[in-house]
Amino acid sequence: MSDVRLENISKRFGDTLALEGISLHIHDDEFFVLLGPTGAGKTTTLRVIAGLEKQDDGHVYLDDRLMDGAQPADRDVAFVFQQYSLYPNMSVYDNLAFPLRSPLRRLPEGEIRQRVTGAAEKLRITHLLERKTARLSGGEMQRVSIGRAIVRQPRIFLMDEPLSNLDAKLRESLRVELKHLQKTQGSTTLFVTHDQIEALTMADRIAVLDQGKIIQNGTPFDIYDRPATTFVAQMVGTPRINLIAAEWQDGAYRTPGAALSFARQNGAAAEKVLVGVRPEDVRPGAGDFRGEVMLVEPLGVETILHIRTGEITLLCVVSGLSSIQLGEVLSFGFAVERLHFFDMNGRRL
Amino acid sequence: MANVANAPRQKVVISTRVDKVSTGARVTSSVRAAIAVIVALIMLIPVAWMAMTAFKTRPDAVAVPPKVFFEPSFEGFVSLLTSRRQLTNDEIAVYQQRTDLGWADQIALIRGQAITGPSAFPRQLLNSLIISGVSTVFSVGFGVLSAYAFSRFPVPGKDDLLFFILSQRMLPPVVVTIPIFLMYRQVGLHDTHIGMVLLYTAFNLSFSVWLLKGFIDEIPREYEEAAMVDGYTRLQAFRRIVLPQATTGIAATTVFSLIFSWNEYAFALMLTSDAARTAPPSIPLVLGTGGIEWAAIAAGSLAFLIPVVIITFLLRKHLLRGVTFGAIRKG
């Protein structure tokens, strides 16, 4: 049983407000992702949970026990840092054994050996055990870091962008391994990232953070399909969502520069709105609107089209390699039931 | 292209590195090595001359032109380590008949002297060892602790405090010797080991805090944070993670502190007279009966040099790493 609850956490550094009333509840066995741009307060949140930083306001509960004044050692959490966290004067084995040899645990060496080799096998780093950490590659280092976290079955794994210093290929494979590991071990994980793909692929639930505040909290499905603000809508999804300013005229929302119109939907009653259209919801081939293809980006599995209509350039994704040519004028429509309406402040209507 | 099947039977050229093959590169590196050797030799001439003088007899030591080749003698060491009295001509005759004289007595006798007992020098050397050793341990120990605090904690008024500490170093010691002399006499620290240890610790601390702070700043915080999350207290993390990482800095600071307190002259001359007198102010005072005993002074300097050489030699590996710090790849 592990359960992490944050209540109204606030933290300032000098004059800057790093966290403002953060409340979160991470359930047992959950893979929870904090997603946000640099400086949003993701890492600070992790450090507050670990006890490496003390909040100015609010409370941290681990398994319903108030942990506000507890030392990091007493919180029984594991932290995987972005970089620089393997003890450089020790071998990989000693790094993995280090948490087990802590005065709090003092396990017998036999059990330590068993746990370390077990973790090493899971992460496929058995061949590295005798090596010094300075002679590891970036991917190997992060594997060892993760290993050092899993040897001791902590309450919760706190992971601070563990994949962001790795190259793309490695990141992808380690991402899969991490998710697999989390599911097989049933370990509660709080994972921080600025990479929306990591968030969408791994998370059971996502909280989107911006400027120290939680903007939206929900399943990847909620976040992608019902973004609470334009910020969230732009944060997740590649290519980016199209945001189109439109005004109420003659019974429909119409764009000023282009001949686009959108029917009013459930309760959207504002004069001016921002209409969000995901690139995959722009359907070329048939529809009421016409535009010229300005750019074609074939990616193999899909093709991104830049369609210009009036003063607006829309991004559009079609699956597979498309036969549509540059400069072609085509007609297109929208998946009407999947449009997002936001007010001019960016809030969902 | 060589046939792969024949390859092992062909002559193997081991050195294929361009910089080893090219004559130009070879000449450049030889010239550089030669210059380094010459500079090192020039630097070593005074030390070598001192070592030679230590083994010269009195006439050889002051001979003009200077003697490079001479018959070695322990006269200097005997003069340094013993106190002697001048014998009358009659006594010399009696002494020359005696057969129970040790080798040191015989050396003294050549100059018509008899050894009356050991000199104060061994004890002064010991004082130097105690005072500089203890003060170095203190200044490095306190230095590591405060450097760590300055590096990691939000100490109120940090910048002002650090500048204040640095400003201690800017003060010329001579300016404060008289006030300190008066204060020390008042509180009974004059001519005591504790007094000198205190003084040298205070003087070295500013330097060691600054030097060590630089080294500790270089150690990423993540190491100790990881250790703290892994179930260690801050103090345990400091001991098991930070200290091993800071060895280079600690070694460098140790050598610098040691050399300062080992060499210190002005305070030692003013604040010690007998019980706690250190070696530096006593070496020039090894005056014999008439004339300066250059051989004895050189012997004293040589003996004085050896402990520092030993410490530096023991810590050389760390010192070399200290010179290249910044180039070390971090974990």
Side-chain angles (χ1 to χ4, degrees):
Chain A
M1 175 64 198
S2 43
D3 177 288
V4 176
R5 203 144 47 83
L6 299 183
E7 261 178 22
N8 259 316
I9 300 284
S10 292
K11 170 82 190 167
R12 41 172 73 248
F13 294 109
D15 290 335
T16 45
L17 198 57
L19 298 177
E20 199 178 343
I22 298 283
S23 296
L24 275 182
H25 191 171
I26 301 154
H27 305 286
D28 197 25
D29 284 0
E30 196 170 34
F31 199 118
F32 197 99
V33 171
L34 277 181
L35 175 67
T38 313
K42 299 162 296 184
T43 301
T44 310
T45 311
L46 278 198
R47 293 173 61 87
V48 165
I49 297 175
L52 293 172
E53 212 79 69
K54 180 141 178 42
Q55 71 272 25
D56 298 330
D57 236 323
H59 304 290
V60 178
Y61 294 92
L62 301 178
D63 294 340
D64 288 325
R65 273 182 47 213
L66 186 64
M67 282 292 182
D68 288 349
Q71 290 299 310
D74 300 325
R75 299 193 181 203
D76 193 21
V77 300
F79 208 115
V80 178
F81 291 84
Q82 190 171 348
Q83 56 173 348
Y84 289 156
S85 69
L86 295 185
Y87 311 121
N89 47 335
M90 301 181 192
S91 68
V92 170
Y93 181 90
D94 288 330
N95 260 281
L96 292 176
F98 192 74
L100 303 176
R101 287 176 181 152
S102 114
L104 284 183
R105 280 173 273 272
R106 281 195 197 289
L107 294 180
E109 280 296 322
E111 191 182 342
I112 291 179
R113 176 157 292 276
Q114 204 181 333
R115 285 220 218 168
V116 168
T117 44
E121 268 163 34
K122 264 181 219 151
L123 291 162
R124 293 185 280 115
I125 49 173
T126 312
H127 60 293
L128 301 174
L129 283 178
E130 299 311 318
R131 221 181 271 182
K132 285 275 180 209
T133 55
R135 295 180 37 227
L136 298 179
S137 70
E140 290 167 341
M141 279 191 193
Q142 279 317 43
R143 264 172 221 271
V144 176
S145 280
I146 293 164
R148 199 173 56 190
I150 65 172
V151 286
R152 39 175 275 226
Q153 291 131 15
R155 275 203 178 97
I156 182 169
F157 293 96
L158 304 172
M159 303 200 176
D160 188 6
E161 312 216 16
L163 308 181
S164 59
N165 279 20
L166 307 178
D167 62 68
K169 225 175 197 162
L170 205 58
R171 198 180 318 163
E172 218 163 275
S173 66
L174 209 51
R175 194 172 77 203
V176 174
E177 268 179 64
L178 256 184
K179 182 164 184 179
H180 178 73
L181 200 69
Q182 194 266 339
K183 288 299 160 221
T184 50
Q185 292 234 314
S187 47
T188 315
T189 304
L190 178 56
F191 187 100
V192 155
T193 182
H194 64 264
D195 181 341
Q196 50 102 15
I197 295 182
E198 278 176 21
L200 290 178
T201 50
M202 295 199 284
D204 293 320
R205 264 192 316 144
I206 299 174
V208 181
L209 231 66
D210 185 35
Q211 298 179 352
K213 277 186 269 195
I214 292 180
I215 308 292
Q216 191 176 0
N217 181 344
T219 62
F221 185 82
D222 288 336
I223 301 283
Y224 190 80
D225 273 351
R226 297 187 51 79
T229 65
T230 49
F231 174 81
V232 177
Q234 286 177 301
M235 185 89 204
V236 294
T238 41
R240 264 186 184 204
I241 194 167
N242 299 295
L243 281 179
I244 307 154
E247 239 173 280
W248 185 252
Q249 266 175 11
D250 307 332
Y253 284 115
R254 294 175 197 281
T255 57
L260 294 181
S261 63
F262 308 93
R264 174 180 281 189
Q265 280 187 341
N266 46 353
E271 264 305 289
K272 290 182 172 182
V273 292
L274 287 169
V275 184
V277 189
R278 294 253 178 234
E280 65 271 25
D281 298 332
V282 179
R283 305 267 161 87
D288 307 334
F289 314 111
R290 290 180 72 76
E292 189 190 348
V293 178
M294 305 299 289
L295 192 64
V296 181
E297 298 180 77
L299 299 177
V301 64
E302 60 189 22
T303 302
I304 302 169
L305 304 173
H306 297 238
I307 302 172
R308 188 173 182 87
T309 171
E311 286 166 9
I312 297 166
T313 303
L314 292 171
L315 293 182
C316 163
V317 171
V318 291
S319 69
L321 290 170
S322 167
S323 58
I324 294 171
Q325 296 292 311
L326 196 66
E328 202 173 306
V329 175
L330 44 71
S331 54
F332 63 92
F334 300 114
V336 184
E337 70 287 354
R338 294 177 53 84
L339 297 180
H340 309 276
F341 288 85
F342 303 96
D343 66 18
M344 293 311 280
N345 295 323
R347 254 191 304 277
R348 186 181 189 85
L349 292 169
Chain B
M1 186 93 185
N3 188 341
V4 178
N6 292 335
R9 262 169 273 157
Q10 284 172 356
K11 195 180 161 193
V12 178
V13 182
I14 293 170
S15 173
T16 50
R17 277 177 54 186
V18 177
D19 58 329
K20 285 192 176 166
V21 175
S22 131
T23 12
R26 212 160 45 189
V27 168
T28 318
S29 79
S30 313
V31 168
R32 272 160 62 183
I35 291 173
V37 169
I38 290 167
V39 169
L41 283 177
I42 293 173
M43 303 280 221
L44 280 173
I45 285 174
V47 181
W49 195 257
M50 186 188 80
M52 281 160 68
T53 309
F55 291 99
K56 281 178 180 173
T57 58
R58 208 144 82 129
D60 281 350
V62 293
V64 179
K67 278 192 174 176
V68 178
F69 301 101
F70 57 92
E71 202 175 320
S73 143
F74 281 100
E75 201 183 304
F77 287 93
V78 171
S79 319
L80 179 72
L81 298 172
T82 62
S83 46
R84 302 157 311 278
R85 73 182 169 84
Q86 197 64 43
L87 299 171
T88 62
N89 286 343
D90 297 345
E91 282 175 316
I92 293 173
V94 174
Y95 265 71
Q96 276 166 347
Q97 302 302 314
R98 282 170 62 170
T99 52
D100 58 336
L101 292 177
W103 63 271
D105 295 292
Q106 283 169 3
I107 289 169
L109 189 59
I110 296 169
R111 285 170 50 186
Q113 294 177 334
I115 293 169
T116 55
S119 72
F121 187 75
R123 214 190 60 225
Q124 288 159 346
L125 203 63
L126 186 68
N127 283 345
S128 264
L129 272 177
I130 293 170
I131 290 169
S132 52
V134 175
S135 72
T136 298
V137 168
F138 278 144
S139 56
V140 174
F142 291 135
V144 171
L145 292 177
S146 50
Y148 180 74
F150 276 121
S151 170
R152 296 298 199 254
F153 300 123
V155 181
K158 184 191 269 186
D159 294 343
D160 294 337
L161 274 175
L162 277 172
F163 181 75
F164 173 73
I165 290 173
L166 185 65
S167 68
Q168 304 282 299
R169 196 68 186 180
M170 300 173 183
L171 190 76
V174 187
V175 177
V176 288
T177 23
I178 308 268
I180 288 178
F181 173 73
L182 294 174
M183 285 191 279
Y184 265 35
R185 228 180 32 183
Q186 263 323 297
V187 296
L189 285 173
H190 177 76
D191 198 21
T192 59
H193 289 82
I194 299 175
M196 296 311 287
V197 167
L198 258 175
L199 194 66
Y200 289 166
T201 305
F203 254 81
N204 272 330
L205 201 51
S206 59
F207 175 70
S208 71
V209 168
W210 271 86
L211 197 65
L212 284 164
K213 183 175 176 290
F215 279 98
I216 291 178
D217 281 343
E218 295 271 304
I219 304 171
R221 283 160 180 260
E222 279 89 342
Y223 291 150
E224 64 218 79
E225 288 179 343
M228 280 159 67
V229 173
D230 279 345
Y232 294 80
T233 63
R234 186 174 277 278
L235 204 63
Q236 287 161 343
F238 173 74
R239 201 168 54 80
R240 308 220 13 197
I241 305 299
V242 179
L243 279 189
Q245 286 294 294
T247 14
T248 306
I250 292 172
T253 316
T254 303
V255 169
F256 282 122
S257 296
L258 190 74
I259 289 175
F260 170 82
S261 41
W262 186 250
N263 285 347
E264 205 286 326
Y265 184 82
F267 283 128
L269 186 66
M270 287 290 285
L271 299 177
T272 63
S273 49
D274 185 34
R277 168 125 304 182
T278 55
S282 17
I283 292 172
L285 297 177
V286 192
L287 298 174
T289 46
I292 298 169
E293 297 254 19
W294 287 116
I297 291 174
S301 306
L302 197 63
F304 184 69
L305 197 67
I306 287 166
V308 179
V309 171
I310 290 174
I311 297 283
T312 315
F313 183 76
L314 289 178
L315 296 177
R316 72 193 181 284
K317 232 180 174 169
H318 298 295
L319 288 175
L320 281 179
R321 278 186 57 212
V323 174
T324 57
F325 90 109
I328 299 168
R329 186 181 162 201
K330 278 178 231 148

